[in-house]
Amino acid sequence: MSATNDSFTGWAATSKTAPLEQKELKLRAWDEYCIEMDITHCGICGSDEHTIKESWGPTMYPCVVGHEIVGKVTKVGKNVTHLKVGDLAGIGAQSGSCHECAPCKEGNENVCRGHSTFTYNSKWANGDMAYGGYADKWRGDSRFAFKVPDNMPGEVAATFFCGGITTYAPLKRANVNEKSVVGVMGIGGLGHYGILWAKAMGAKVVGMSHSDRKREVALELGCDDYIVTSNADDMARYKYEMTHILCTGTSPDFQWPPFLNLLRPNGRFINVSAPDWDFPAISPLLMIMNQVSIEGSAIGSPEEIRDMLDFADKHNVRPWIQKYPMKDVNKALEDFRAGKPRFRFVLEN
């Protein structure tokens, strides 16, 4: 299937149950802030599956998911100064913002209160549909596209743009350093990134999971210790010891007290997990008497993404990935749903 200059070929979800289908679809209208790129790689993210299955809300089918995109720049608009034709560039979960609201002007474009464009299942400000990276081409706002460091291969770079920034940004904002003791809940696609970042920032890192099954791989990733969260004696070893907990995943039986009781005074429980069920109610006294904070974090701003790429390059942070040919996307999704990633899947054109 060949695309025209203003179209692309993508693997589109047409319903919540059907396999992805190859379709020719329209690129967004060009403007002088745009870049166009030939996609080389795209990571598979849990958000893709939530969107395909409509577990976070309605999906505008046909929908081309994928927001961990890397490719070679083939065209740049007149207003683009940081990228040129031939550069390897990446795009994450957000592709546009209004640039006018208070958060945007403060450098928090990731929580734009005007028109924020997500990379798929969203619309550009001009009304065109936004499509993601399970495709051969991408066109969009250069202000949300980032030059990949010269010595970083595309398949390595791809998953930084969602999984990487989702975990890097809150740890950096929370000033994780060599004095920190960071618990990472959930040793999966996001959790493995949390471990890599926290270790590179100098912290003592404790892997946390509901069983002993992931102990060995957590230590292999760099954890200094590991606790089984379903074991009260194991949890008691870190009572009031942690400065930060990064929650990348938990189960529906989650309760606040066992985890907040792990934090030191002024400790921070940082949630980046977005399950399709609600967290339980919390006692105000638990927060007050422990003097802890609970916070969330949404991906990261463009400046934080640039900082992350520099940090990863300097500290040689590299995700654990497995590659699939783009044409085998349905097989990759089948394996993703079966829990096989160790720890991120990357599609390759």
Side-chain angles (χ1 to χ4, degrees):
M1 185 180 292
S2 61
T4 68
N5 286 342
D6 287 310
S7 66
F8 72 98
T9 301
W11 289 91
T14 57
S15 77
K16 67 174 69 177
T17 56
L20 303 192
E21 298 177 19
Q22 205 170 25
K23 286 185 173 292
E24 185 175 338
L25 296 162
K26 284 187 64 177
L27 294 165
R28 62 151 289 170
W30 180 264
D31 69 33
E32 296 304 330
Y33 281 103
C34 278
I35 65 160
E36 193 168 307
M37 60 196 282
D38 288 339
I39 295 170
T40 60
H41 298 90
C42 185
I44 294 180
C45 181
S47 305
D48 303 346
E49 176 70 357
H50 282 294
T51 301
I52 291 168
K53 299 297 186 186
E54 292 193 304
S55 59
W56 282 346
T59 294
M60 295 180 280
Y61 301 112
C63 180
V64 177
V65 298
H67 58 204
E68 296 181 331
I69 309 169
V70 168
K72 283 286 182 74
V73 177
T74 57
K75 183 180 178 181
V76 299
K78 294 176 182 177
N79 296 333
V80 181
T81 59
H82 66 294
L83 291 168
K84 63 183 186 300
V85 171
D87 282 346
L88 195 65
I91 296 96
Q94 184 184 21
S95 295
S97 74
C98 75
H99 304 288
E100 297 295 332
C101 67
C104 281
K105 290 180 177 179
E106 293 165 355
N108 294 308
E109 296 94 333
N110 54 307
V111 285
C112 171
R113 299 310 185 206
H115 185 94
S116 184
T117 301
F118 297 104
T119 299
Y120 56 74
N121 199 36
S122 185
K123 290 192 176 184
W124 294 96
N126 66 5
D128 289 347
M129 280 298 302
Y131 295 110
Y134 292 13
D136 63 347
K137 290 196 288 188
W138 184 87
R139 179 191 288 175
D141 190 339
S142 63
R143 290 167 288 189
F144 288 83
F146 308 90
K147 188 178 185 304
V148 172
D150 291 336
N151 63 345
M152 188 180 290
E155 63 265 29
V156 171
T159 68
F160 281 116
F161 289 99
C162 183
I165 190 59
T166 295
T167 46
Y168 175 83
L171 293 174
K172 180 68 182 295
R173 286 186 221 120
N175 193 34
V176 169
N177 57 44
E178 66 280 357
K179 296 179 181 178
S180 303
V181 179
V182 179
V184 177
M185 292 172 59
I187 317 296
L190 289 178
H192 108 285
Y193 257 125
I195 293 165
L196 296 175
W197 293 131
K199 282 300 294 181
M201 293 172 183
K204 177 179 179 178
V205 183
V206 182
M208 306 171 67
S209 192
H210 68 281
S211 75
D212 208 46
R213 186 169 59 90
K214 294 190 176 179
R215 179 184 297 273
E216 185 176 331
V217 73
L219 298 176
E220 192 177 347
L221 282 164
C223 283
D224 299 284
D225 202 354
Y226 182 91
I227 56 178
V228 177
T229 57
S230 59
N231 184 320
D233 291 337
D234 218 10
M235 292 282 276
R237 294 192 294 117
Y238 279 92
K239 188 172 185 178
Y240 307 143
E241 289 295 322
M242 294 181 181
T243 57
H244 306 75
I245 294 174
L246 180 70
C247 178
T248 70
T250 186
S251 55
D253 61 357
F254 170 80
Q255 294 294 320
W256 289 107
F259 294 92
L260 296 192
N261 285 336
L262 299 177
L263 290 169
R264 297 178 189 173
N266 305 315
R268 302 168 76 158
F269 184 101
I270 305 165
N271 180 57
V272 296
S273 173
D276 50 12
W277 46 268
D278 291 335
F279 277 13
I282 184 170
S283 163
L285 280 175
L286 179 64
M287 293 180 66
I288 292 169
M289 299 309 294
N290 284 27
Q291 195 169 301
V292 296
S293 61
I294 299 170
E295 58 195 82
S297 179
I299 47 174
S301 69
E303 184 57 37
E304 288 171 325
I305 294 173
R306 286 186 285 270
D307 185 64
M308 170 194 67
L309 292 171
D310 289 344
F311 184 93
D313 195 33
K314 179 180 178 181
H315 294 274
N316 197 35
V317 176
R318 295 294 185 265
W320 292 19
I321 62 169
Q322 296 162 262
K323 292 192 296 183
Y324 287 74
M326 185 71 74
K327 66 181 177 62
D328 293 339
V329 60
N330 284 308
K331 170 61 175 169
L333 285 172
E334 180 184 327
D335 289 350
F336 183 90
R337 290 162 186 153
K340 294 183 179 180
R342 187 178 171 182
F343 281 94
R344 306 292 290 193
F345 283 172
V346 177
L347 301 170
E348 182 174 61
N349 276 316

